[in-house]
Each structure stands twice: as C-alpha cells, then as structure tokens.
Amino acid sequence: METKNFKTLTAITSVAIFFCLLNAVWVCVQSYNLYTAENNFLTFEKETRFICSAIFYSRVIFSPLYNALLITFLVKQLVAIKRGILFPRINVRIIFLIAVCYFIGSFATDNQALLHFENNPLMINDGTITYTLLFIIFGIIYKVAVDVAEENNLTV
Amino acid sequence: MPIIVNVDVMLAKRKMTSGELAEKVGITQANLSILKTGKAKAVRFSTLEAICKALECQPGDILEYRE
C-alpha cells in the first residue's frame, strides 16, 4: 500500500477508535447513573423488572463489547496492512461477532425508554436490522476477499 | 494439486541453483520454493515464460499433470 494511503487510513482509524472508546465510556457512565438512580427499573413489578434487567445488562455488556470488537478489527487491519497482508483471516470472525453484538446492543439501546417508563412497549428499529444485515454482508464479502488474497499470495 | 512443476530436473541439467534461477526469473526464493513444493495455486504466463527462458526449455518439460 502507498505510504500516503496508509497514513490517511491510520489517521481515520485513529479517529474511529477514539469515538468507539468515547461511546463505550458513555454507555458505561450512563448505565452506572441509571443503576444507582432512585426509583430505577429495579423497583418495577417482577415481570417488567426481568425484561428491564435483560435490556439493561444487554446494553452494558454488548454495547461496549461491540466497540471493543470494532477497535480490535481496526487495529488488526492496520497491523496486517503494515505486514503486507491486505485482508487478515481473523477479521472475518470479528466482523460476524460485531454483527451479533451490534444487534443485541442496538436492540437494548432502542428499548432504553423501558428502563425509565414501566409501560413502554418493546420496539425494534429498522436501522438495527438493516445495519446488522449490512455487517453480515460485509463479513461475507470480506471472507471472499481473504480467500482471493490468499490465493493471490500463492500465485507465482 | 494435480499440476506438478518439475523444476529440479531442469535445474540439474542446466547446472543451476534455485537462487540463480529465482534471480533470473525475477521472483523471490520463497516464491520459487512455493512453486517447487506444489503449494502454488497459479502461475502467471509471464513467470512461466521467464522460467522457460532461464532454463532453455519448453513448458511441457517442467509441467506435469498427475491425477
């Protein structure tokens, strides 16, 4: 890869990593404040409390995990490019994990209102489904790219 | 891989080392090793041409199909 392109990629990746970290920290802080607030979801009725707890812990676990996986993907990509490998195979699995974590984290975020207002209905955003599917499609195409790149490396 | 590249025989006939061949063909010794050990997935015509030119042989002299 050309030095200029690599430098541009590194710069944009650094900005992306920064925002991923920011988002992960924000989710953790927001979740802590919600957990320690008076009259939080833990005071709701038993049935609702179970669903609210599931949503709360899903968001606490999967949203930062999604950001961590994104950062891992970006770092592994940069390191691999520096070593001359355009598409590292390990990133295929990471992309599919990102898709799963994004779906769960995003679904939990979409239903955050339930943690504040007991009678809110469960909802799913079309963006949650669309972007999850896009991640899966990207993962499949990335896998093809990995296979083609590996074959190209074995072309003399 | 059913296609085998028999470079060693021609190297011995021409009294040439792998390193010399790699240099003449313009590929790395690692790539030549990939070719010799049957790990190569494909060979470019330009590479095949360069090998035949360096070893003064025909493609059929170094390529063999074995089921």
Side-chain angles (χ1 to χ4, degrees), chain B residues 1-62:
Chain B
M1 190 76 175
I3 302 287
I4 295 157
V5 184
N6 296 315
V7 169
D8 290 327
V9 174
M10 289 311 299
L11 276 175
K13 276 187 182 173
R14 301 288 178 248
K15 293 187 177 62
M16 203 188 288
T17 63
S18 298
E20 285 168 2
L21 178 63
E23 203 180 318
K24 280 188 179 180
V25 171
I27 60 175
T28 61
Q29 278 202 279
N31 274 354
L32 185 62
S33 175
I34 287 170
L35 203 59
K36 283 166 70 178
T37 54
K39 288 178 186 167
K41 293 278 182 193
V43 179
R44 295 185 183 93
F45 279 134
S46 55
T47 308
L48 186 60
E49 181 193 331
I51 292 172
C52 291
K53 196 174 176 181
L55 294 174
E56 293 170 17
C57 66
Q58 291 293 314
D61 296 332
I62 54 173

Side-chain angles (χ1 to χ4, degrees), chain A residues 151-152 154-156, chain B residues 40-42 44 47:
Chain A
E151 189 164 318
N152 190 50
L154 293 172
T155 297
V156 179
Chain B
K41 293 278 182 193
R44 295 185 183 93
T47 308

Side-chain angles (χ1 to χ4, degrees), chain A residues 25-95:
Chain A
V25 167
W26 164 246
V27 168
C28 291
V29 167
Q30 199 184 34
S31 301
Y32 175 77
N33 286 340
L34 184 63
Y35 193 80
T36 54
E38 280 181 23
N39 301 323
N40 63 12
F41 65 94
L42 294 169
T43 61
F44 292 172
E45 278 179 27
K46 196 180 174 184
E47 236 179 60
T48 327
R49 197 172 46 204
F50 175 74
I51 296 169
C52 290
S53 296
I55 289 167
F56 177 79
Y57 288 113
S58 294
R59 187 156 187 263
V60 164
I61 293 167
F62 288 96
S63 282
L65 185 60
Y66 156 75
N67 284 298
L69 284 169
L70 268 178
I71 292 170
T72 309
F73 172 85
L74 292 169
V75 168
K76 284 198 180 291
Q77 184 66 60
L78 271 185
V79 167
I81 288 173
K82 206 163 184 189
R83 286 186 192 159
I85 302 167
L86 204 51
F87 300 105
R89 187 163 278 281
I90 192 159
N91 272 356
V92 174
R93 193 170 287 188
I94 292 174
I95 291 168

